[in-house]
Amino acid sequence: MVTSNSGSTDQWGFEYFFSPPPVKSLAIVGSKTRFPVRRIYCIGINYPRPPHLLEQAPSLQNLTEGQTIIFDKHRDAIVEDGVNIPYPQGTNNLVHEVELVVAIGTKAVDVDEDFALNHVFGYAVGNDLTRKDLLLTAMTSGGAVDVGKAFDGSAPCGPVHPVSRVGHLNEARMWLTVDGYLRQEGDLKDMLKKPPALISELSHLFHLQPGDLIYTGTPGIPGTVNRNQTMVGGIDGLGTLTNKVI
Ligand code: MN
């Protein structure tokens, strides 16, 4: 008979062979309660890009006009503000991408753009960390992007600012520094598809639920980050997100 030393019993009386994974959650600004994370959706190429960046991945040139690039990360990839991130396995090119994160607060299925913002709980600063070498290899060969995007520690995210405190952001400067040097700078107003369009489109493909996060894409030119460097991402009105790679 197989036995476990670390079994646990949940509220329903089920006993597990090992402890279930912990709930991943984010701080909520102005609240003692936490935002439990369910799913992480991410949007690619959502700001104007220099042509040479698109040339890195030939498959991107086959995108149809208006096509949305959607990929996922795992919720246990969340890293909170101030937490160090071990340099990921399997890469020699870790890249930062500062992004607006939309936090969903109510179920959204097949919603129109006009009503989409009603489903937003709040906003946060995120960093869509990328193993760029693995991503480009996958994209060049027509493979899935997961290996480049959905790895341990790949989803740093700051505290969630409720809409009740910050409203809906149409324009705001966003930026990221590495060891104090400015590496990325942009503005939310340049987003190609805004949160209402993204929420509506996602809601026609997936059942959005409270706890879902949407990383909405990064402006400018994402850059490399190495061991012992500290990234600080920020969006005016949403504070900053600091993580050191160790
Ligand atoms: Mn991104």
Side-chain angles (χ1 to χ4, degrees):
M1 181 179 164
V2 181
T3 59
S4 165
N5 293 326
S6 58
S8 65
T9 305
D10 70 6
Q11 58 184 317
W12 314 113
F14 289 121
E15 187 176 345
Y16 297 101
F17 190 74
F18 50 84
S19 295
V23 173
K24 295 298 286 192
S25 64
L26 296 167
I28 297 173
V29 177
S31 174
K32 288 179 180 156
T33 62
R34 309 260 308 166
F35 184 90
V37 177
R38 192 187 80 117
R39 291 183 184 170
I40 304 174
Y41 296 103
C42 303
I43 306 300
I45 319 288
N46 200 24
Y47 289 82
R49 284 290 176 86
H52 76 271
L53 278 182
L54 296 180
E55 287 166 9
Q56 288 180 347
S59 63
L60 292 177
Q61 295 174 17
N62 298 326
L63 289 172
T64 55
E65 182 79 21
Q67 183 179 350
T68 305
I69 300 174
I70 300 168
F71 57 94
D72 307 310
K73 289 176 186 273
H74 307 293
R75 67 165 165 249
D76 65 357
I78 287 282
V79 181
E80 288 195 80
D81 180 36
V83 176
N84 293 342
I85 300 171
Y87 195 90
Q89 302 157 275
T91 184
N92 291 306
N93 191 11
L94 180 64
V95 164
H96 55 72
E97 298 187 354
V98 63
E99 310 199 353
L100 174 72
V101 175
V102 177
I104 298 295
T106 55
K107 180 179 179 179
V109 178
D110 297 339
V111 299
D112 292 338
E113 277 189 41
D114 291 348
F115 301 101
L117 290 182
N118 295 335
H119 297 280
V120 177
F121 173 83
Y123 297 96
V125 181
N127 187 350
D128 167 20
L129 286 180
T130 302
R131 295 192 287 208
K132 194 74 172 221
D133 43 2
L134 301 188
L135 178 71
L136 292 179
T137 298
M139 294 178 76
T140 302
S141 61
V145 301
D146 303 47
V147 71
K149 286 293 194 179
F151 52 92
D152 292 270
S154 63
C157 192
V160 179
H161 297 252
V163 170
S164 58
R165 291 174 70 99
V166 297
H168 296 288
L169 306 175
N170 295 315
E171 55 184 273
R173 179 176 175 261
M174 56 199 302
W175 47 271
L176 185 139
T177 62
V178 175
D179 288 348
Y181 293 95
L182 186 64
R183 291 287 192 81
Q184 273 190 278
E185 191 172 26
D187 195 293
L188 293 181
K189 70 174 164 37
D190 296 321
M191 201 180 284
L192 299 176
K193 287 192 178 176
K194 316 282 191 211
L198 295 176
I199 294 165
S200 176
E201 183 167 349
L202 282 168
S203 83
H204 284 85
L205 293 168
F206 310 98
H207 293 192
L208 297 180
Q209 298 283 358
D212 289 350
L213 300 176
I214 306 169
Y215 282 60
T216 58
T218 199
I221 302 173
T224 297
V225 59
N226 292 307
R227 277 191 184 83
N228 298 314
Q229 290 189 317
T230 299
M231 304 172 287
V232 182
I235 298 175
D236 287 351
L238 299 180
T240 57
L241 167 65
T242 300
N243 301 98
K244 182 177 183 181
V245 178
I246 60 173

